[in-house]
């Protein structure tokens, strides 16, 4: 004969029904109502019928409730499958992602999920799918945006030097431009164009007629400069670029130009204004100032 069940006495049947009404978890409400029947002397069969479970499960509910109270019959969450990577392996994965691949060792120049999965197998003998590895990297805070382009001859020192512009401006402001308002302009240039392709021709199915390639090209030259401090900007968009096109007049305020020599693809450089350089003509002609009058930083 089975042992009689009894529910702890610090909760009454009304207390259990009140907790069931307040709960937003239907499973928890069923368990509390079943326990209220046991508490008021009802049978396990009645409690099991109300809870939609077997007699043994009702006994387990009573034992957990007596030990932990209402928290003992809360709906738990399954632990799920154990993670494939431990903390040390995750740190090694982060280090590999941050360091990047070694081309002559890893055979790739950028990590793909399939490459990282292969690396984990070679280094830690862990077999992991691309989908699972992608979730692991997302959980670690990593995404895969488009990388910013970087030229292979870009000079980091030149970029760092560009950030020291404040000291150079202070030196010039205390010298030749003392007592004058200085405008700092940043300039860049670009050429955009179109090269025609072979045109389409109507022809019978199964044939492909020949046609001469259109060798004509058309370009536009864009020169732009901005002064962020005073919210000023100037730009030239021209179908061709020569001395006549660059002529113009402009302000008499002392100007400091910081120019990106994009033709060299070597980062930001100091610009030595030379009469033969197209950028010096842009600087000298558009504002009507000779290059010798301008401080170069």
């Amino acid at each position: 004969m089975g042992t009689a069940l009894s529910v702890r006495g610090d909760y009454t049947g009304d207390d259990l029904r009140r907790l069931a009404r307040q709960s937003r978890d239907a499973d928890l409400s069923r368990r509390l109502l079943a326990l209220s029947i046991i508490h008021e002397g009802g049978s396990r069969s009645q409690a099991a019928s109300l809870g939609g479970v077997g007699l043994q499960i009702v006994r387990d509910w009573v034992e957990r409730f007596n030990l932990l109270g209402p928290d003992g019959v809360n709906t738990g969450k399954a632990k799920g499958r154990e993670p494939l990577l431990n903390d040390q392996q995750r740190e090694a994965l982060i280090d590999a992602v941050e360091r990047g691949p070694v081309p002559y060792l890893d055979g790739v120049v950028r990590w793909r999920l399939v490459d990282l999965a292969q690396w984990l197998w070679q280094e830690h003998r862990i077999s992991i799918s691309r989908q699972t590895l992608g979730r692991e990297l997302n959980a670690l805070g990593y995404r895969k945006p488009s990388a910013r382009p970087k030229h292979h001859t870009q000079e980091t020192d030149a970029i760092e030097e560009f950030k020291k512009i404040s000291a150079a401006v202070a030196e010039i402001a205390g010298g030749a431009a003392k007592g004058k308002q200085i405008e700092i302009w940043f300039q860049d240039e670009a050429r955009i164009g179109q090269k025609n392709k072979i045109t389409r021709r109507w022809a019978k199915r199964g044939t492909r007629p020949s046609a001469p390639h259109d060798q004509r090209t058309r370009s536009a030259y864009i020169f732009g400069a901005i002064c962020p401090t005073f919210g000023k900007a100037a730009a030239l968009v021209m179908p061709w670029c020569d001395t006549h096109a660059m002529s113009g007049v402009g302000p008499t305020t002392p100007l400091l130009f910081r120019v990106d020599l994009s033709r060299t693809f070597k980062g930001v450089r100091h610009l030595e204004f030379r009469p033969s350089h197209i950028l010096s003509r842009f600087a000298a002609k558009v504002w009507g100032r000779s290059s010798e009058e301008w401080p170069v930083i």
Side-chain angles (χ1 to χ4, degrees), residues 229-243:
T229 304
F230 297 97
K232 298 180 181 181
L236 294 175
V237 181
M238 303 174 293
W240 56 83
C241 183
D242 54 21
T243 303

Side-chain angles (χ1 to χ4, degrees), residues 67-83:
L67 181 63
L68 302 173
D71 292 337
V73 291
N74 274 333
T75 302
K77 183 177 181 181
K79 294 177 61 177
R81 182 180 177 181
E82 292 293 329

Side-chain angles (χ1 to χ4, degrees), residues 141-244:
Y142 285 90
R143 299 296 184 268
K144 196 176 182 182
S146 298
R148 292 182 292 110
K150 178 182 178 182
H151 197 269
H152 65 279
T153 60
Q154 185 183 69
E155 295 183 3
T156 306
D157 295 340
I159 298 177
E160 294 299 325
E161 187 68 22
F162 177 78
K163 299 177 182 179
K164 302 176 182 179
I165 188 173
S166 299
V169 172
E171 181 180 353
I172 294 172
K178 187 175 182 180
K180 299 179 182 179
Q181 176 179 290
I182 299 178
E183 296 179 4
I184 303 176
W185 289 72
F186 298 83
Q187 188 272 340
D188 203 352
E189 76 287 342
R191 181 175 67 88
I192 58 176
Q194 174 184 348
K195 183 176 181 180
N196 295 324
K197 301 179 181 179
I198 297 178
T199 59
R200 293 180 177 270
R201 300 288 181 90
W202 286 104
K204 286 186 175 295
R205 185 187 298 271
T207 64
R208 187 181 183 189
S210 61
H213 193 286
D214 191 347
Q215 300 291 338
R216 293 174 296 177
T217 60
R218 182 63 61 88
S219 300
Y221 298 85
I222 303 175
F223 296 87
I226 62 170
C227 178
T229 304
F230 297 97
K232 298 180 181 181
L236 294 175
V237 181
M238 303 174 293
W240 56 83
C241 183
D242 54 21
T243 303
H244 176 72

Side-chain angles (χ1 to χ4, degrees), residues 7-286:
V7 180
R8 54 191 295 177
D10 52 345
Y11 287 90
T12 65
D14 292 336
D15 293 336
L16 294 175
R17 285 187 286 271
R18 176 175 52 81
L19 292 174
R21 288 194 302 270
Q22 294 174 351
S23 174
R24 301 181 65 87
D25 185 354
D27 294 333
L28 177 59
S29 298
R30 287 190 296 104
R31 297 182 192 114
L32 292 172
L33 291 175
L35 290 173
S36 69
I37 292 177
I38 299 294
H39 188 278
E40 293 177 345
S43 65
R44 278 193 293 171
S45 298
Q46 293 174 326
S49 177
L50 178 62
V53 294
L55 300 180
Q56 183 59 44
I57 293 179
V58 172
R59 173 178 287 276
D60 295 339
W61 288 352
V62 173
E63 292 177 352
R64 284 157 49 191
F65 180 81
N66 290 339
L67 181 63
L68 302 173
D71 292 337
V73 291
N74 274 333
T75 302
K77 183 177 181 181
K79 294 177 61 177
R81 182 180 177 181
E82 292 293 329
L84 292 175
L85 304 179
N86 56 33
D87 293 339
Q88 292 78 13
Q89 292 164 347
R90 288 193 182 95
E91 291 178 1
L93 176 62
I94 291 174
D95 183 65
V97 171
E98 293 287 349
R99 185 178 65 252
V102 180
Y104 70 90
L105 291 178
D106 301 310
V108 293
V109 296
R110 60 180 178 87
W111 286 128
R112 301 172 298 174
L113 289 176
V114 65
D115 302 322
L116 287 171
Q118 181 67 23
W119 178 85
L120 283 171
W121 172 254
Q122 293 175 350
E123 296 293 331
H124 302 281
R125 283 295 183 264
I126 296 176
S127 179
I128 187 171
S129 66
R130 292 181 301 166
Q131 294 79 5
T132 302
L133 182 56
R135 288 193 293 268
E136 284 282 353
L137 290 173
N138 287 337
L140 293 172
Y142 285 90
R143 299 296 184 268
K144 196 176 182 182
S146 298
R148 292 182 292 110
K150 178 182 178 182
H151 197 269
H152 65 279
T153 60
Q154 185 183 69
E155 295 183 3
T156 306
D157 295 340
I159 298 177
E160 294 299 325
E161 187 68 22
F162 177 78
K163 299 177 182 179
K164 302 176 182 179
I165 188 173
S166 299
V169 172
E171 181 180 353
I172 294 172
K178 187 175 182 180
K180 299 179 182 179
Q181 176 179 290
I182 299 178
E183 296 179 4
I184 303 176
W185 289 72
F186 298 83
Q187 188 272 340
D188 203 352
E189 76 287 342
R191 181 175 67 88
I192 58 176
Q194 174 184 348
K195 183 176 181 180
N196 295 324
K197 301 179 181 179
I198 297 178
T199 59
R200 293 180 177 270
R201 300 288 181 90
W202 286 104
K204 286 186 175 295
R205 185 187 298 271
T207 64
R208 187 181 183 189
S210 61
H213 193 286
D214 191 347
Q215 300 291 338
R216 293 174 296 177
T217 60
R218 182 63 61 88
S219 300
Y221 298 85
I222 303 175
F223 296 87
I226 62 170
C227 178
T229 304
F230 297 97
K232 298 180 181 181
L236 294 175
V237 181
M238 303 174 293
W240 56 83
C241 183
D242 54 21
T243 303
H244 176 72
M246 302 298 289
S247 300
V249 295
T252 58
T253 304
L255 306 176
L256 301 181
F257 255 73
R258 191 72 171 197
V259 180
D260 179 5
L261 295 183
S262 59
R263 297 198 309 172
T264 63
F265 293 98
K266 292 184 178 180
V268 180
R269 292 287 196 111
H270 297 288
L271 177 62
E272 302 280 346
F273 286 123
R274 298 187 299 271
S276 61
H277 200 286
I278 186 62
L279 297 181
S280 69
R281 292 201 296 274
F282 171 76
K285 296 295 183 179
V286 172

